[in-house]
Amino acid sequence: MLLAFCHVGMSAQTLTKQFPPDHPGTVIGQSTAQPEQSVTPASVPTSSSMTSLPDAPGIQNQPVAQLVPAPPTGVPVTIHAAEQEKQGDIYHLRGEVEIDYKDYVVRADKVIYNAATGDMEASGHLQVVGGPRSEDISASHGTMNLNAQTGHFYDVIGSVGALNASSKNVYTTANPLLIIGKELIKRGPDSYEMKGGSMTSCPLPKPDWQIFAPDILVDSGKATARNANFRLLGIPAVYLPYVTHPVDVKGRQSGLVIPELSNSTIKGFIVGDAYYWAINRSADLMVGLQYYSKRGPEQYAEFRYRGGGNDMIHGLYNGLEDQGLPPLYINQGGQDTIISARHDLTTYTRAITSAEYLSSYTYRQVFAENFSQAVSSEVKSWGFLAHEKNGYAGSIDFERYQNYASDVASDQVRILHVPSIEFDALDHSVGLSGILAGGDASFGFLSRSEPYYRSHNVARTDLFPHLSRPWIADGWTFRPMLGLRDTLYSHSQELGPVLTIPPPPPAILTSANLPGQSDVPTTRNASLNRKAVEAGVQVLPPVLERDFTGNYLAKRFGVALRHTIEPEVNYRYVAGVKAFNNVPRFDAIDIFSDTNELEYGLTQRLFLKRLHPKPCDKDPAKAKTQKDCGEVSREWLTWFLGQKYFLDPTFGHAVIPGRRNIFTTTLDFSGVAYITSPRSFSPIISRLRANTSANTDLEWDLDYDAKAGRIAASNIFANYRHGDFFTTFSHAVLDAVGETPEPPSQPPNFVNYNQIQLLVGHGSYTKPGLNLAANGGLDLNLKSLEYAGVQATYNFLSCCGFSAEYRLFSLGVIRNESEESFSITLAGVSSFGSLKRAERLF
């Protein structure tokens, strides 16, 4: 658009519809070295001559850009207007007026501007945009001083701190303040007062919720109001004697959050609130209290810190002072504290910890927020300082493992590594020999305690250097390996004495506690030095493959297939482990045993190639949401079948008949214990993975024990998503040897369960409209429902959502609970209710 131009020093004159020379616009306050001159040279038509000429193509009523003297601040000001009149320092501007000053833009139909004082009167479609709080104010008329950044506006609608006020997202991460009022007084760059209006975070002009107040003050990134009323969908809902709302574009504000309300059959009526403290831009803290009418007060706290790079700290605390349920009033309270942290000292050195303290397993079972957490009996804590570079690593580790065997507090296993020093070396070439050298080494103090057994401060040193020499010949790959293992223990153990297990009451007699005798190990002060040699070879034959590129596949499905078969054979020999059952048990190093075995397996893969890939959208954001776009090929299916043959069925006479035996070689092959007596063959394991499309996932792990003639374990996981519909299905079967040792005269104790879990839903937690989801877990052996939940969420198009959930827990006598939770989510504010993230189904 062409603009009229006038130099500083001109006398007052009317500059209506003058044709400009080639200048981009007028900047107010910039100096010019050009002498004072006439504005009607021969090359520039006068205003009278312009009126007789036809309008240039596409140019009608051209706006004018005017240069005026600099204001006292010395900051340039640019004026654009269709018509201008200048009388001294006063500018009368009409028609598409725009004034640019610092980071402000002022637009109106008519403006009277005083260049000397910075005062301005504007009317007709007044709009002020910019400033330190990203304000966007529209008004019928008003006054403003550009220098002082003050103003008074009438019939106001706009926003302060809005990153994208026109966004149609249901929820936003910023905290915009959108306002409607009769008057808005701007007292400075970061201070406002609104008379007779409302504030909200929802898109205008029809927000889902509003806070109405006689006076609303905005100062230092926070809006406050007194004697306010909160309206939801236009209906007065809550009277608020005092309320605050953050308006920081990226910041957070400290204060009380919206209270929580819910109801539970074992907790009673639940009411609670919390205080949120925005410590700084990198850390915050939430401290809250909930009162259960049937149980008592529960405290909770959450601390978060995010530093540079990967540095972080995250802490959670929950604790309940339980008064118990009538008539027994049994205290089931406790505390649970979790801390996770990481700090990178250098590029190669880092410190990481994940620690949990649980005072009572019963507390977790009764008050955990979800089923998976409620039934987890393990408590793990660890921390390490590690340095890794060029394939070498050294670390100092601290570990604590705790496993509750029952609700009885003393019936638990505790294992400590305090501390442990470890060194690891990946395989490195030894000169030009082709030999690869690597190894592991560790030293630490370990302790273990459980009923009838104690082993404290056992010093253990473990060395395991190894060599390998891989080579390839005619498509075959061979990798022989040789290693030496030397492990020194300051203490050892021995089996015995034999303890007689008294019979339990008939009412609770099961296969897991049959009366008999059990050999419990005892600790010896004698040291133990375990030495062993390990040798083996891995053989990988050539991969067999075949392509299926027939016309039927190409025309019918637009794909081609490739099928590959990958055989694998591993031979392993370990000898020298003496007195295996005299080694105290702490971790996988201690179950290293003699073996002479052959492992063989077959992996089949099916690759799918799309002959005509679906093109992706040019917009990267939209392309991310497209399924299978640009995909040429994918590994459609993978199936592994394997088994081990043990040439030494006793593993160096380490097998104890009639009880569960776990060795390194069996644990690495299958996570299910299967050795209760000497045996030559392991179960056959099957691992199936299918990824037929971007919407589907299928995984099936199966262990079949041919010797016992039964399925030892089967785990099926299937996931499907299409559009807004999603479902997840899992089926877990376990029929394996239990932990309780049995004498040879009794059959082994087996753990048997058969469970199904299902999740199905439509939508998401933030999708506009109605969203539904339901889940459940069924024990097929007991034919009982263990848990179930139903959640419904309705989100309005702008920034308000309702959620309600019903949950059911059935964990035997320890917990039978039904709970109703709800939440109302307001964009830019908070969630009101008790439906927590860990409890949601979406």
Side-chain angles (χ1 to χ4, degrees):
M1 183 176 291
L2 300 177
L3 304 175
F5 180 81
C6 182
H7 289 288
V8 176
M10 289 185 180
S11 58
Q13 54 186 304
T14 301
L15 301 175
T16 305
K17 292 185 179 180
Q18 288 190 342
F19 192 86
D22 188 16
H23 286 279
T26 300
V27 178
I28 302 173
Q30 288 185 341
S31 62
T32 175
Q34 294 179 334
E36 186 174 329
Q37 58 181 329
S38 172
V39 296
T40 58
S43 59
V44 179
T46 62
S47 59
S48 59
S49 64
M50 281 289 294
T51 58
S52 62
L53 295 175
D55 291 334
I59 302 177
Q60 297 180 358
N61 193 27
Q62 301 93 340
V64 177
Q66 178 66 30
L67 178 67
V68 299
T73 60
V75 179
V77 178
T78 302
I79 293 178
H80 299 265
E83 298 181 5
Q84 298 185 21
E85 293 182 6
K86 182 176 182 297
Q87 297 177 349
D89 293 325
I90 308 300
Y91 289 79
H92 297 266
L93 312 173
R94 291 179 294 275
E96 300 181 8
V97 180
E98 178 178 315
I99 299 178
D100 299 326
Y101 174 73
K102 290 186 176 180
D103 53 353
Y104 281 98
V105 177
V106 181
R107 301 184 182 93
D109 293 340
K110 295 175 60 178
V111 173
I112 300 176
Y113 172 61
N114 188 325
T117 64
D119 289 328
M120 176 192 308
E121 294 183 14
S123 60
H125 303 96
L126 171 59
Q127 183 182 24
V128 180
V129 180
R133 293 293 174 190
S134 301
E135 59 193 55
D136 186 346
I137 299 171
S138 297
S140 61
H141 61 286
T143 61
M144 188 174 181
N145 185 282
L146 293 180
N147 301 336
Q149 300 183 48
T150 59
H152 198 147
F153 308 98
Y154 301 86
D155 305 321
V156 175
I157 180 172
S159 63
V160 178
L163 292 177
N164 185 6
S166 62
S167 174
K168 297 301 181 182
N169 294 334
V170 177
Y171 305 115
T172 62
T173 57
N175 293 310
L177 177 70
L178 290 89
I179 54 177
I180 301 177
K182 296 180 180 179
E183 296 181 51
L184 177 65
I185 303 173
K186 181 176 172 61
R187 301 187 181 279
D190 194 23
S191 180
Y192 313 83
E193 179 182 359
M194 186 168 63
K195 301 286 187 179
S198 67
M199 59 181 175
T200 182
S201 293
C202 300
L204 301 174
K206 295 182 179 180
D208 292 337
W209 65 266
Q210 290 175 281
I211 296 176
F212 286 82
D215 292 282
I216 299 176
L217 302 179
V218 181
D219 197 5
S220 301
K222 181 172 65 175
T224 61
R226 300 180 184 275
N227 299 320
N229 69 85
F230 174 81
R231 299 184 186 182
L232 185 62
L233 301 178
I235 302 174
V238 181
Y239 169 74
L240 302 171
Y242 180 79
V243 64
T244 65
H245 185 292
V247 297
D248 224 344
V249 175
K250 296 181 180 179
R252 299 155 297 160
Q253 297 291 333
S254 302
L256 291 172
V257 301
I258 301 178
E260 299 181 3
L261 299 172
S262 63
N263 185 63
S264 166
T265 55
I266 66 171
K267 302 172 186 174
F269 181 72
I270 303 171
V271 59
D273 203 355
Y275 181 81
Y276 175 79
W277 179 23
I279 302 173
N280 53 44
R281 64 189 301 267
S282 301
D284 57 20
L285 174 66
M286 175 88 77
V287 179
L289 177 68
Q290 292 188 105
Y291 182 77
Y292 303 154
S293 63
K294 293 184 178 181
R295 311 306 293 255
E298 182 188 45
Q299 317 89 38
Y300 63 91
E302 180 177 9
F303 173 79
R304 300 183 302 177
Y305 166 78
R306 175 65 69 177
N310 295 316
D311 290 1
M312 53 80 64
I313 302 175
H314 186 204
L316 290 170
Y317 167 79
N318 289 275
L320 174 66
E321 304 297 329
D322 187 24
Q323 63 188 13
L325 288 173
L328 300 179
Y329 296 99
I330 298 176
N331 182 6
Q332 297 178 316
Q335 297 83 37
D336 190 4
T337 303
I338 301 174
I339 297 177
S340 300
R342 172 168 178 160
H343 175 59
D344 292 352
L345 285 78
T346 67
T347 305
Y348 307 102
T349 308
R350 65 186 185 276
I352 300 178
T353 185
S354 177
E356 179 176 10
Y357 168 75
L358 179 65
S359 65
S360 167
Y361 180 44
T362 300
Y363 170 67
R364 171 182 285 182
Q365 289 179 297
V366 176
F367 297 102
E369 296 178 344
N370 56 65
F371 176 79
S372 299
Q373 187 180 16
V375 298
S376 175
S377 62
E378 295 183 329
V379 181
K380 300 178 182 179
S381 298
W382 50 266
F384 65 84
L385 174 65
H387 178 80
E388 299 180 27
K389 189 175 182 181
N390 299 329
Y392 296 96
S395 64
I396 301 177
D397 302 279
F398 298 83
E399 298 181 24
R400 181 181 185 271
Y401 174 82
Q402 187 177 10
N403 190 0
Y404 290 90
S406 68
D407 301 333
V408 180
S410 60
D411 190 10
Q412 58 177 285
V413 178
R414 294 187 181 184
I415 301 176
L416 299 176
H417 295 64
V418 187
S420 178
I421 302 174
E422 299 182 3
F423 298 94
D424 301 286
L426 299 179
D427 287 345
H428 289 72
S429 296
V430 180
L432 301 177
S433 64
I435 297 176
L436 302 178
D440 308 315
S442 66
F443 171 79
F445 291 93
L446 307 99
S447 299
R448 176 171 181 154
S449 64
E450 58 185 288
Y452 307 110
Y453 181 79
R454 298 288 187 275
S455 181
H456 292 293
N457 299 322
V458 177
R460 184 185 70 187
T461 303
D462 180 65
L463 301 174
F464 183 42
H466 52 77
L467 301 172
S468 63
R469 175 58 169 90
W471 80 83
I472 300 175
D474 296 330
W476 290 70
T477 301
F478 300 90
R479 186 184 179 97
M481 172 265 183
L482 177 65
L484 298 175
R485 184 150 220 161
D486 191 352
T487 310
L488 177 63
Y489 297 87
S490 64
H491 297 71
S492 57
Q493 69 176 26
E494 62 180 351
L495 297 180
V498 177
L499 300 179
T500 301
I501 302 176
I508 59 174
L509 184 62
T510 67
S511 61
N513 54 25
L514 290 172
Q517 293 181 326
S518 176
D519 46 350
V520 178
T522 57
T523 303
R524 297 191 310 174
N525 288 326
S527 62
L528 175 66
N529 189 196
R530 183 189 67 187
K531 297 181 179 181
V533 59
E534 178 176 351
V537 60
Q538 181 187 46
V539 181
L540 300 176
V543 176
L544 305 177
E545 64 179 42
R546 181 180 178 182
D547 292 340
F548 298 88
T549 58
N551 291 331
Y552 178 79
L553 288 174
K555 294 180 179 180
R556 179 71 174 176
F557 302 102
V559 299
L561 297 177
R562 170 172 292 179
H563 179 215
T564 65
I565 301 177
E566 305 170 17
E568 180 178 351
V569 179
N570 292 280
Y571 174 74
R572 183 167 176 260
Y573 176 80
V574 178
V577 177
K578 305 296 183 181
F580 173 82
N581 290 301
N582 295 125
V583 177
R585 307 289 196 268
F586 302 102
D587 52 35
I589 293 177
D590 308 314
I591 56 176
F592 186 78
S593 67
D594 287 349
T595 186
N596 188 5
E597 65 187 47
L598 183 68
E599 178 185 346
Y600 40 89
L602 202 66
T603 301
Q604 299 189 69
R605 305 181 194 273
L606 195 61
F607 296 90
L608 181 144
K609 180 180 180 181
R610 300 186 183 277
L611 302 178
H612 308 288
K614 184 192 304 182
C616 293
D617 195 286
K618 294 182 179 180
D619 185 354
K622 294 181 180 179
K624 290 181 179 180
T625 63
Q626 292 180 289
K627 302 293 185 181
D628 300 328
C629 80
E631 182 184 63
V632 177
S633 64
R634 75 163 58 233
E635 189 172 341
W636 196 74
L637 185 142
T638 303
W639 184 23
F640 171 78
L641 281 175
Q643 190 180 33
K644 281 189 176 185
Y645 172 65
F646 304 113
L647 288 82
D648 178 6
T650 66
F651 299 89
H653 305 287
V655 174
I656 300 177
R659 61 172 292 179
R660 185 178 71 167
N661 295 266
I662 300 177
F663 308 115
T664 303
T665 181
T666 61
L667 187 63
D668 290 343
F669 189 68
S670 171
V672 179
Y674 54 86
I675 295 182
T676 59
S677 62
R679 62 185 295 166
S680 299
F681 290 94
S682 75
I684 300 172
I685 67 170
S686 170
R687 303 292 184 259
L688 179 67
R689 309 285 188 274
N691 187 13
T692 56
S693 71
N695 298 321
T696 59
D697 290 293
L698 174 65
E699 180 177 338
W700 184 15
D701 296 343
L702 177 70
D703 290 14
Y704 178 74
D705 193 336
K707 179 180 179 180
R710 69 173 187 273
I711 294 176
S714 175
N715 295 282
I716 299 175
F717 174 83
N719 179 58
Y720 176 75
R721 176 177 289 275
H722 181 73
D724 293 324
F725 174 80
F726 61 91
T727 182
T728 300
F729 170 83
S730 64
H731 180 209
V733 175
L734 179 65
D735 191 1
V737 184
E739 295 184 11
T740 305
E742 297 292 347
S745 59
Q746 297 291 341
N749 167 40
F750 285 91
V751 175
N752 183 279
Y753 68 79
N754 189 353
Q755 297 177 334
I756 288 178
Q757 297 182 351
L758 178 67
L759 169 66
V760 60
H762 184 274
S764 68
Y765 194 67
T766 59
K767 177 182 173 292
L770 181 62
N771 306 274
L772 296 171
N775 72 342
L778 181 65
D779 190 316
L780 298 181
N781 288 340
L782 301 177
K783 298 180 180 179
S784 63
L785 188 67
E786 293 184 314
Y787 72 95
V790 179
Q791 179 182 336
T793 298
Y794 187 87
N795 294 313
F796 292 88
L797 292 177
S798 52
C799 66
C800 177
F802 298 88
S803 294
E805 183 181 82
Y806 174 80
R807 298 192 302 156
L808 173 68
F809 290 92
S810 181
L811 305 179
V813 295
I814 194 69
R815 184 176 185 180
N816 282 286
E817 176 189 15
S818 62
E819 181 178 2
E820 304 88 24
S821 303
F822 77 96
S823 68
I824 301 175
T825 304
L826 309 176
V829 182
S830 182
S831 292
F832 171 77
S834 58
L835 184 56
K836 301 177 182 178
R837 180 181 296 273
E839 302 171 348
R840 299 199 310 238
L841 302 184
F842 292 109

